[in-house]
Amino acid sequence: MGAYGGDVHVSVARPPLDRASAERLALEHVLSTADNIVDDPPTPFPEYAGALIGLTQWRFWWD
């Protein structure tokens, strides 16, 4: 059986500090189609963007 899925952990030196920056960044994250944003659990965009403000550790995963 082959490998399935993958994940990336990112340490962030300069996280977004305001809502507008967080929303631009969140759009880039959504466009990456990482499953943690799109599917598990489905997170409304405003909540996802707001959670990025000041966050210094990000995790993305794909199936």
Side-chain angles (χ1 to χ4, degrees):
M1 185 183 262
Y4 182 71
D7 63 340
V8 174
H9 296 261
V10 181
S11 177
V12 181
R14 294 181 57 196
L17 300 177
D18 60 66
R19 187 71 181 191
S21 297
E23 287 179 354
R24 284 191 300 273
L25 181 63
L27 180 57
E28 291 180 23
H29 289 187
V30 169
L31 292 174
S32 76
T33 65
D35 291 328
N36 61 301
I37 301 164
V38 178
D39 294 328
D40 187 31
T43 305
F45 184 83
E47 288 178 28
Y48 182 78
L52 292 174
I53 297 172
L55 189 64
T56 59
Q57 297 289 316
W58 303 339
R59 178 178 178 259
F60 304 97
W61 64 267
W62 295 264
D63 282 338

Short mmCIF file of all heavy atoms in Angstrom, two decimals:
data_model
loop_
_atom_site.label_atom_id
_atom_site.label_comp_id
_atom_site.label_asym_id
_atom_site.label_seq_id
_atom_site.Cartn_x
_atom_site.Cartn_y
_atom_site.Cartn_z
N MET A 1 0.85 -1.18 0.00
CA MET A 1 0.00 0.00 0.00
C MET A 1 0.89 1.24 0.00
O MET A 1 1.86 1.31 0.74
CB MET A 1 -0.90 -0.03 1.23
CG MET A 1 -1.89 1.11 1.24
SD MET A 1 -2.91 1.12 2.75
CE MET A 1 -4.36 0.34 2.15
N GLY A 2 0.56 2.25 -0.79
CA GLY A 2 1.35 3.47 -0.89
C GLY A 2 1.00 4.48 0.18
O GLY A 2 0.09 4.30 0.97
N ALA A 3 1.76 5.55 0.19
CA ALA A 3 1.53 6.64 1.14
C ALA A 3 0.21 7.33 0.82
O ALA A 3 -0.21 7.39 -0.33
CB ALA A 3 2.68 7.63 1.08
N TYR A 4 -0.40 7.85 1.84
CA TYR A 4 -1.69 8.51 1.66
C TYR A 4 -1.71 9.78 2.48
O TYR A 4 -1.49 9.75 3.69
CB TYR A 4 -2.80 7.56 2.10
CG TYR A 4 -4.19 8.11 1.93
CD1 TYR A 4 -4.74 8.27 0.67
CD2 TYR A 4 -4.94 8.48 3.03
CE1 TYR A 4 -6.02 8.77 0.51
CE2 TYR A 4 -6.22 8.98 2.88
CZ TYR A 4 -6.75 9.12 1.61
OH TYR A 4 -8.01 9.62 1.46
N GLY A 5 -1.95 10.89 1.82
CA GLY A 5 -2.07 12.15 2.53
C GLY A 5 -0.74 12.69 3.01
O GLY A 5 0.31 12.13 2.76
N GLY A 6 -0.81 13.79 3.68
CA GLY A 6 0.37 14.42 4.23
C GLY A 6 0.00 15.63 5.03
O GLY A 6 -1.13 16.12 4.97
N ASP A 7 0.95 16.10 5.81
CA ASP A 7 0.69 17.31 6.56
C ASP A 7 1.95 18.16 6.64
O ASP A 7 3.05 17.68 6.43
CB ASP A 7 0.11 17.03 7.94
CG ASP A 7 1.04 16.26 8.85
OD1 ASP A 7 1.97 15.59 8.36
OD2 ASP A 7 0.83 16.31 10.06
N VAL A 8 1.74 19.44 6.91
CA VAL A 8 2.81 20.41 7.03
C VAL A 8 2.56 21.21 8.29
O VAL A 8 1.45 21.69 8.53
CB VAL A 8 2.84 21.36 5.80
CG1 VAL A 8 3.86 22.46 5.99
CG2 VAL A 8 3.07 20.60 4.53
N HIS A 9 3.61 21.37 9.10
CA HIS A 9 3.55 22.22 10.28
C HIS A 9 4.46 23.42 10.00
O HIS A 9 5.60 23.25 9.58
CB HIS A 9 4.05 21.47 11.51
CG HIS A 9 3.18 20.31 11.86
ND1 HIS A 9 2.23 20.38 12.85
CD2 HIS A 9 3.09 19.07 11.34
CE1 HIS A 9 1.61 19.22 12.93
NE2 HIS A 9 2.11 18.41 12.02
N VAL A 10 3.94 24.61 10.23
CA VAL A 10 4.66 25.83 9.89
C VAL A 10 4.82 26.69 11.14
O VAL A 10 3.83 26.96 11.85
CB VAL A 10 3.91 26.63 8.80
CG1 VAL A 10 4.67 27.89 8.44
CG2 VAL A 10 3.66 25.78 7.58
N SER A 11 6.05 27.13 11.40
CA SER A 11 6.32 28.09 12.46
C SER A 11 6.34 29.47 11.82
O SER A 11 7.06 29.70 10.84
CB SER A 11 7.66 27.78 13.11
OG SER A 11 7.95 28.74 14.10
N VAL A 12 5.56 30.39 12.34
CA VAL A 12 5.35 31.68 11.70
C VAL A 12 5.99 32.79 12.54
O VAL A 12 5.61 33.02 13.69
CB VAL A 12 3.83 31.95 11.55
CG1 VAL A 12 3.59 33.28 10.87
CG2 VAL A 12 3.17 30.82 10.80
N ALA A 13 6.97 33.48 11.95
CA ALA A 13 7.67 34.55 12.66
C ALA A 13 6.85 35.85 12.70
O ALA A 13 6.92 36.60 13.67
CB ALA A 13 9.02 34.82 12.00
N ARG A 14 6.07 36.09 11.64
CA ARG A 14 5.29 37.33 11.57
C ARG A 14 3.84 37.02 11.20
O ARG A 14 3.44 37.20 10.04
CB ARG A 14 5.91 38.28 10.56
CG ARG A 14 7.30 38.76 11.00
CD ARG A 14 7.91 39.71 10.03
NE ARG A 14 7.03 40.86 9.83
CZ ARG A 14 7.13 41.71 8.84
NH1 ARG A 14 8.06 41.56 7.94
NH2 ARG A 14 6.32 42.73 8.73
N PRO A 15 3.05 36.57 12.14
CA PRO A 15 1.64 36.28 11.83
C PRO A 15 0.87 37.57 11.56
O PRO A 15 1.32 38.65 11.95
CB PRO A 15 1.14 35.60 13.10
CG PRO A 15 1.98 36.18 14.18
CD PRO A 15 3.34 36.39 13.55
N PRO A 16 -0.27 37.46 10.92
CA PRO A 16 -1.08 38.67 10.69
C PRO A 16 -1.53 39.25 12.03
O PRO A 16 -1.83 38.52 12.97
CB PRO A 16 -2.27 38.17 9.88
CG PRO A 16 -2.36 36.71 10.16
CD PRO A 16 -0.96 36.26 10.44
N LEU A 17 -1.54 40.58 12.10
CA LEU A 17 -1.91 41.26 13.34
C LEU A 17 -3.21 42.04 13.25
O LEU A 17 -3.66 42.61 14.23
CB LEU A 17 -0.77 42.19 13.78
CG LEU A 17 0.57 41.49 14.05
CD1 LEU A 17 1.63 42.53 14.41
CD2 LEU A 17 0.42 40.45 15.15
N ASP A 18 -3.80 42.06 12.06
CA ASP A 18 -5.08 42.75 11.90
C ASP A 18 -6.00 41.93 11.02
O ASP A 18 -5.57 41.00 10.33
CB ASP A 18 -4.89 44.16 11.34
CG ASP A 18 -4.23 44.15 9.97
OD1 ASP A 18 -4.85 43.65 9.01
OD2 ASP A 18 -3.08 44.63 9.85
N ARG A 19 -7.27 42.26 11.04
CA ARG A 19 -8.29 41.49 10.34
C ARG A 19 -8.05 41.46 8.82
O ARG A 19 -8.17 40.42 8.19
CB ARG A 19 -9.67 42.08 10.67
CG ARG A 19 -10.82 41.30 10.14
CD ARG A 19 -10.94 40.03 10.91
NE ARG A 19 -12.02 39.23 10.42
CZ ARG A 19 -12.49 38.18 11.02
NH1 ARG A 19 -11.99 37.81 12.17
NH2 ARG A 19 -13.46 37.49 10.52
N ALA A 20 -7.72 42.61 8.23
CA ALA A 20 -7.54 42.66 6.77
C ALA A 20 -6.39 41.75 6.33
O ALA A 20 -6.52 41.00 5.35
CB ALA A 20 -7.29 44.10 6.32
N SER A 21 -5.28 41.77 7.05
CA SER A 21 -4.14 40.90 6.72
C SER A 21 -4.51 39.44 6.90
O SER A 21 -4.14 38.59 6.09
CB SER A 21 -2.94 41.24 7.59
OG SER A 21 -2.50 42.55 7.34
N ALA A 22 -5.22 39.15 7.96
CA ALA A 22 -5.63 37.77 8.24
C ALA A 22 -6.56 37.25 7.15
O ALA A 22 -6.47 36.09 6.75
CB ALA A 22 -6.29 37.67 9.61
N GLU A 23 -7.45 38.09 6.65
CA GLU A 23 -8.37 37.65 5.60
C GLU A 23 -7.64 37.38 4.29
O GLU A 23 -7.95 36.42 3.59
CB GLU A 23 -9.49 38.67 5.41
CG GLU A 23 -10.48 38.64 6.55
CD GLU A 23 -11.59 39.65 6.44
OE1 GLU A 23 -11.57 40.50 5.51
OE2 GLU A 23 -12.49 39.61 7.30
N ARG A 24 -6.65 38.20 3.94
CA ARG A 24 -5.87 37.94 2.72
C ARG A 24 -5.11 36.62 2.85
O ARG A 24 -5.08 35.81 1.93
CB ARG A 24 -4.91 39.10 2.45
CG ARG A 24 -5.57 40.33 1.87
CD ARG A 24 -4.56 41.34 1.37
NE ARG A 24 -3.66 41.83 2.42
CZ ARG A 24 -3.91 42.85 3.23
NH1 ARG A 24 -5.05 43.52 3.10
NH2 ARG A 24 -3.04 43.22 4.13
N LEU A 25 -4.51 36.41 4.01
CA LEU A 25 -3.78 35.18 4.24
C LEU A 25 -4.71 33.97 4.25
O LEU A 25 -4.39 32.93 3.68
CB LEU A 25 -3.03 35.27 5.57
CG LEU A 25 -2.20 34.06 5.94
CD1 LEU A 25 -1.09 33.83 4.92
CD2 LEU A 25 -1.64 34.23 7.33
N ALA A 26 -5.85 34.11 4.88
CA ALA A 26 -6.82 33.00 4.93
C ALA A 26 -7.25 32.61 3.52
O ALA A 26 -7.42 31.42 3.24
CB ALA A 26 -8.03 33.39 5.77
N LEU A 27 -7.41 33.56 2.65
CA LEU A 27 -7.77 33.25 1.26
C LEU A 27 -6.67 32.40 0.61
O LEU A 27 -6.97 31.41 -0.07
CB LEU A 27 -8.01 34.51 0.46
CG LEU A 27 -8.39 34.31 -1.00
CD1 LEU A 27 -9.64 33.43 -1.14
CD2 LEU A 27 -8.58 35.64 -1.69
N GLU A 28 -5.42 32.74 0.84
CA GLU A 28 -4.32 31.92 0.30
C GLU A 28 -4.39 30.50 0.86
O GLU A 28 -4.18 29.53 0.15
CB GLU A 28 -2.98 32.55 0.63
CG GLU A 28 -2.72 33.83 -0.11
CD GLU A 28 -1.39 34.45 0.23
OE1 GLU A 28 -0.47 33.71 0.67
OE2 GLU A 28 -1.23 35.67 0.05
N HIS A 29 -4.68 30.37 2.15
CA HIS A 29 -4.79 29.05 2.77
C HIS A 29 -5.93 28.26 2.14
O HIS A 29 -5.77 27.08 1.83
CB HIS A 29 -5.02 29.18 4.27
CG HIS A 29 -3.83 29.65 5.03
ND1 HIS A 29 -3.83 29.68 6.40
CD2 HIS A 29 -2.63 30.13 4.63
CE1 HIS A 29 -2.66 30.14 6.81
NE2 HIS A 29 -1.92 30.42 5.76
N VAL A 30 -7.07 28.88 1.97
CA VAL A 30 -8.23 28.20 1.39
C VAL A 30 -7.91 27.75 -0.04
O VAL A 30 -8.26 26.64 -0.44
CB VAL A 30 -9.48 29.10 1.43
CG1 VAL A 30 -10.59 28.52 0.59
CG2 VAL A 30 -9.95 29.29 2.87
N LEU A 31 -7.23 28.59 -0.79
CA LEU A 31 -6.90 28.24 -2.18
C LEU A 31 -5.90 27.09 -2.26
O LEU A 31 -5.79 26.45 -3.31
CB LEU A 31 -6.38 29.47 -2.93
CG LEU A 31 -7.43 30.56 -3.16
CD1 LEU A 31 -6.78 31.79 -3.79
CD2 LEU A 31 -8.57 30.05 -4.01
N SER A 32 -5.20 26.81 -1.17
CA SER A 32 -4.29 25.65 -1.16
C SER A 32 -5.07 24.35 -1.09
O SER A 32 -4.50 23.28 -1.26
CB SER A 32 -3.35 25.74 0.04
OG SER A 32 -4.02 25.38 1.24
N THR A 33 -6.35 24.44 -0.82
CA THR A 33 -7.27 23.31 -0.66
C THR A 33 -6.85 22.32 0.43
O THR A 33 -7.15 21.14 0.35
CB THR A 33 -7.52 22.54 -1.99
OG1 THR A 33 -6.32 21.92 -2.43
CG2 THR A 33 -8.09 23.46 -3.05
N ALA A 34 -6.15 22.81 1.43
CA ALA A 34 -5.80 21.94 2.56
C ALA A 34 -7.09 21.44 3.20
O ALA A 34 -8.03 22.19 3.41
CB ALA A 34 -4.96 22.70 3.59
N ASP A 35 -7.14 20.15 3.48
CA ASP A 35 -8.36 19.53 4.00
C ASP A 35 -8.76 20.05 5.37
O ASP A 35 -9.93 20.04 5.72
CB ASP A 35 -8.21 18.01 4.05
CG ASP A 35 -8.17 17.41 2.65
OD1 ASP A 35 -8.82 17.96 1.76
OD2 ASP A 35 -7.49 16.38 2.48
N ASN A 36 -7.79 20.49 6.18
CA ASN A 36 -8.16 20.98 7.51
C ASN A 36 -8.99 22.25 7.42
O ASN A 36 -9.72 22.57 8.35
CB ASN A 36 -6.92 21.20 8.37
CG ASN A 36 -5.98 22.24 7.81
OD1 ASN A 36 -5.49 22.09 6.70
ND2 ASN A 36 -5.69 23.26 8.57
N ILE A 37 -8.90 22.98 6.34
CA ILE A 37 -9.68 24.21 6.18
C ILE A 37 -11.01 23.90 5.51
O ILE A 37 -12.06 24.38 5.93
CB ILE A 37 -8.90 25.23 5.33
CG1 ILE A 37 -7.57 25.54 6.02
CG2 ILE A 37 -9.73 26.49 5.11
CD1 ILE A 37 -6.58 26.21 5.12
N VAL A 38 -10.97 23.09 4.48
CA VAL A 38 -12.15 22.85 3.65
C VAL A 38 -13.10 21.83 4.26
O VAL A 38 -14.30 22.00 4.24
CB VAL A 38 -11.71 22.40 2.24
CG1 VAL A 38 -12.91 22.10 1.37
CG2 VAL A 38 -10.83 23.45 1.59
N ASP A 39 -12.55 20.76 4.84
CA ASP A 39 -13.40 19.64 5.21
C ASP A 39 -13.46 19.26 6.70
O ASP A 39 -14.44 18.71 7.13
CB ASP A 39 -12.95 18.36 4.48
CG ASP A 39 -13.15 18.48 2.99
OD1 ASP A 39 -14.10 19.14 2.57
OD2 ASP A 39 -12.33 17.91 2.24
N ASP A 40 -12.42 19.48 7.45
CA ASP A 40 -12.36 18.84 8.77
C ASP A 40 -11.92 19.76 9.88
O ASP A 40 -10.73 19.89 10.13
CB ASP A 40 -11.41 17.65 8.70
CG ASP A 40 -11.43 16.84 9.99
OD1 ASP A 40 -12.48 16.80 10.64
OD2 ASP A 40 -10.40 16.27 10.32
N PRO A 41 -12.79 20.32 10.61
CA PRO A 41 -14.21 20.45 10.28
C PRO A 41 -14.39 21.62 9.32
O PRO A 41 -13.51 22.46 9.23
CB PRO A 41 -14.84 20.77 11.63
CG PRO A 41 -13.77 21.54 12.36
CD PRO A 41 -12.46 20.94 11.89
N PRO A 42 -15.51 21.67 8.63
CA PRO A 42 -15.74 22.84 7.78
C PRO A 42 -15.76 24.09 8.67
O PRO A 42 -16.48 24.12 9.65
CB PRO A 42 -17.09 22.61 7.14
CG PRO A 42 -17.47 21.21 7.48
CD PRO A 42 -16.59 20.73 8.58
N THR A 43 -14.91 25.06 8.37
CA THR A 43 -14.80 26.26 9.19
C THR A 43 -15.26 27.45 8.39
O THR A 43 -14.71 27.70 7.31
CB THR A 43 -13.33 26.46 9.64
OG1 THR A 43 -12.89 25.28 10.30
CG2 THR A 43 -13.21 27.65 10.57
N PRO A 44 -16.22 28.21 8.88
CA PRO A 44 -16.62 29.42 8.16
C PRO A 44 -15.43 30.35 7.97
O PRO A 44 -14.59 30.51 8.88
CB PRO A 44 -17.68 30.05 9.07
CG PRO A 44 -18.19 28.90 9.89
CD PRO A 44 -17.01 27.99 10.09
N PHE A 45 -15.31 30.94 6.81
CA PHE A 45 -14.17 31.79 6.47
C PHE A 45 -13.90 32.87 7.52
O PHE A 45 -12.74 33.02 7.93
CB PHE A 45 -14.36 32.41 5.08
CG PHE A 45 -13.17 33.20 4.63
CD1 PHE A 45 -12.10 32.58 4.04
CD2 PHE A 45 -13.13 34.57 4.81
CE1 PHE A 45 -10.99 33.31 3.63
CE2 PHE A 45 -12.04 35.31 4.40
CZ PHE A 45 -10.96 34.68 3.82
N PRO A 46 -14.90 33.63 7.97
CA PRO A 46 -14.59 34.68 8.96
C PRO A 46 -13.97 34.12 10.25
O PRO A 46 -13.07 34.74 10.82
CB PRO A 46 -15.95 35.32 9.26
CG PRO A 46 -16.78 35.01 8.06
CD PRO A 46 -16.31 33.66 7.58
N GLU A 47 -14.41 32.96 10.68
CA GLU A 47 -13.84 32.35 11.88
C GLU A 47 -12.40 31.90 11.64
O GLU A 47 -11.53 32.08 12.48
CB GLU A 47 -14.67 31.15 12.33
CG GLU A 47 -16.00 31.53 12.92
CD GLU A 47 -16.82 30.30 13.31
OE1 GLU A 47 -16.22 29.25 13.63
OE2 GLU A 47 -18.04 30.41 13.29
N TYR A 48 -12.16 31.29 10.49
CA TYR A 48 -10.81 30.84 10.16
C TYR A 48 -9.86 32.03 10.10
O TYR A 48 -8.77 32.02 10.69
CB TYR A 48 -10.80 30.06 8.85
CG TYR A 48 -9.41 29.54 8.54
CD1 TYR A 48 -8.91 28.42 9.18
CD2 TYR A 48 -8.59 30.20 7.63
CE1 TYR A 48 -7.63 27.96 8.93
CE2 TYR A 48 -7.31 29.75 7.37
CZ TYR A 48 -6.83 28.63 8.03
OH TYR A 48 -5.56 28.19 7.79
N ALA A 49 -10.25 33.07 9.39
CA ALA A 49 -9.39 34.25 9.25
C ALA A 49 -9.12 34.88 10.62
O ALA A 49 -7.97 35.21 10.93
CB ALA A 49 -10.05 35.27 8.32
N GLY A 50 -10.12 35.03 11.43
CA GLY A 50 -9.94 35.62 12.75
C GLY A 50 -9.00 34.83 13.63
O GLY A 50 -8.23 35.39 14.42
N ALA A 51 -9.02 33.51 13.49
CA ALA A 51 -8.16 32.65 14.30
C ALA A 51 -6.69 32.78 13.91
O ALA A 51 -5.81 32.41 14.69
CB ALA A 51 -8.61 31.20 14.18
N LEU A 52 -6.38 33.30 12.73
CA LEU A 52 -4.99 33.45 12.29
C LEU A 52 -4.29 34.65 12.94
O LEU A 52 -3.07 34.70 12.97
CB LEU A 52 -4.93 33.60 10.77
CG LEU A 52 -5.30 32.38 9.96
CD1 LEU A 52 -5.34 32.74 8.47
CD2 LEU A 52 -4.35 31.24 10.21
N ILE A 53 -5.05 35.59 13.46
CA ILE A 53 -4.45 36.80 14.03
C ILE A 53 -3.57 36.42 15.23
O ILE A 53 -4.04 35.82 16.19
CB ILE A 53 -5.54 37.82 14.44
CG1 ILE A 53 -6.30 38.28 13.19
CG2 ILE A 53 -4.92 39.00 15.18
CD1 ILE A 53 -7.51 39.14 13.47
N GLY A 54 -2.29 36.71 15.09
CA GLY A 54 -1.33 36.44 16.15
C GLY A 54 -0.90 34.99 16.29
O GLY A 54 -0.05 34.67 17.13
N LEU A 55 -1.44 34.09 15.48
CA LEU A 55 -1.14 32.66 15.59
C LEU A 55 0.24 32.35 14.99
O LEU A 55 0.48 32.65 13.83
CB LEU A 55 -2.21 31.85 14.88
CG LEU A 55 -2.20 30.34 15.06
CD1 LEU A 55 -2.46 29.99 16.53
CD2 LEU A 55 -3.24 29.70 14.18
N THR A 56 1.12 31.75 15.78
CA THR A 56 2.49 31.50 15.33
C THR A 56 2.76 30.06 14.92
O THR A 56 3.88 29.74 14.54
CB THR A 56 3.49 31.90 16.43
OG1 THR A 56 3.23 31.13 17.60
CG2 THR A 56 3.40 33.39 16.74
N GLN A 57 1.78 29.19 15.00
CA GLN A 57 1.93 27.81 14.55
C GLN A 57 0.74 27.47 13.66
O GLN A 57 -0.41 27.61 14.09
CB GLN A 57 1.95 26.84 15.74
CG GLN A 57 3.11 27.05 16.68
CD GLN A 57 4.42 26.62 16.07
OE1 GLN A 57 4.52 25.57 15.44
NE2 GLN A 57 5.44 27.45 16.23
N TRP A 58 1.01 27.02 12.44
CA TRP A 58 -0.06 26.63 11.52
C TRP A 58 0.14 25.18 11.16
O TRP A 58 1.26 24.70 11.05
CB TRP A 58 -0.05 27.45 10.24
CG TRP A 58 -0.16 28.93 10.41
CD1 TRP A 58 -0.65 29.61 11.49
CD2 TRP A 58 0.24 29.92 9.47
NE1 TRP A 58 -0.58 30.95 11.27
CE2 TRP A 58 -0.03 31.18 10.03
CE3 TRP A 58 0.80 29.86 8.22
CZ2 TRP A 58 0.24 32.37 9.37
CZ3 TRP A 58 1.07 31.05 7.56
CH2 TRP A 58 0.78 32.28 8.13
N ARG A 59 -0.95 24.47 10.95
CA ARG A 59 -0.90 23.07 10.49
C ARG A 59 -1.87 22.91 9.33
O ARG A 59 -3.02 23.32 9.41
CB ARG A 59 -1.29 22.12 11.60
CG ARG A 59 -1.29 20.67 11.13
CD ARG A 59 -1.64 19.69 12.25
NE ARG A 59 -1.67 18.33 11.73
CZ ARG A 59 -2.78 17.67 11.43
NH1 ARG A 59 -3.95 18.22 11.62
NH2 ARG A 59 -2.72 16.45 10.95
N PHE A 60 -1.37 22.31 8.28
CA PHE A 60 -2.19 22.00 7.10
C PHE A 60 -2.10 20.50 6.87
O PHE A 60 -1.04 19.90 7.08
CB PHE A 60 -1.66 22.70 5.86
CG PHE A 60 -1.56 24.20 6.01
CD1 PHE A 60 -0.36 24.78 6.36
CD2 PHE A 60 -2.67 24.99 5.82
CE1 PHE A 60 -0.25 26.15 6.50
CE2 PHE A 60 -2.58 26.38 5.97
CZ PHE A 60 -1.36 26.95 6.30
N TRP A 61 -3.18 19.88 6.39
CA TRP A 61 -3.10 18.48 6.01
C TRP A 61 -3.98 18.21 4.80
O TRP A 61 -4.91 18.94 4.53
CB TRP A 61 -3.44 17.53 7.18
CG TRP A 61 -4.83 17.61 7.71
CD1 TRP A 61 -5.27 18.38 8.74
CD2 TRP A 61 -5.97 16.89 7.26
NE1 TRP A 61 -6.60 18.19 8.95
CE2 TRP A 61 -7.06 17.28 8.05
CE3 TRP A 61 -6.18 15.96 6.26
CZ2 TRP A 61 -8.34 16.77 7.87
CZ3 TRP A 61 -7.45 15.45 6.08
CH2 TRP A 61 -8.50 15.85 6.89
N TRP A 62 -3.57 17.19 4.06
CA TRP A 62 -4.26 16.78 2.84
C TRP A 62 -4.45 15.28 2.87
O TRP A 62 -3.61 14.56 3.40
CB TRP A 62 -3.43 17.12 1.61
CG TRP A 62 -3.24 18.57 1.37
CD1 TRP A 62 -3.97 19.36 0.54
CD2 TRP A 62 -2.25 19.42 1.94
NE1 TRP A 62 -3.51 20.65 0.57
CE2 TRP A 62 -2.44 20.72 1.43
CE3 TRP A 62 -1.22 19.24 2.85
CZ2 TRP A 62 -1.66 21.80 1.77
CZ3 TRP A 62 -0.43 20.31 3.21
CH2 TRP A 62 -0.65 21.57 2.67
N ASP A 63 -5.54 14.82 2.31
CA ASP A 63 -5.77 13.37 2.14
C ASP A 63 -5.26 12.93 0.80
O ASP A 63 -5.13 13.64 -0.12
CB ASP A 63 -7.25 13.03 2.24
CG ASP A 63 -7.73 13.02 3.68
OD1 ASP A 63 -6.91 12.85 4.58
OD2 ASP A 63 -8.94 13.17 3.86
#
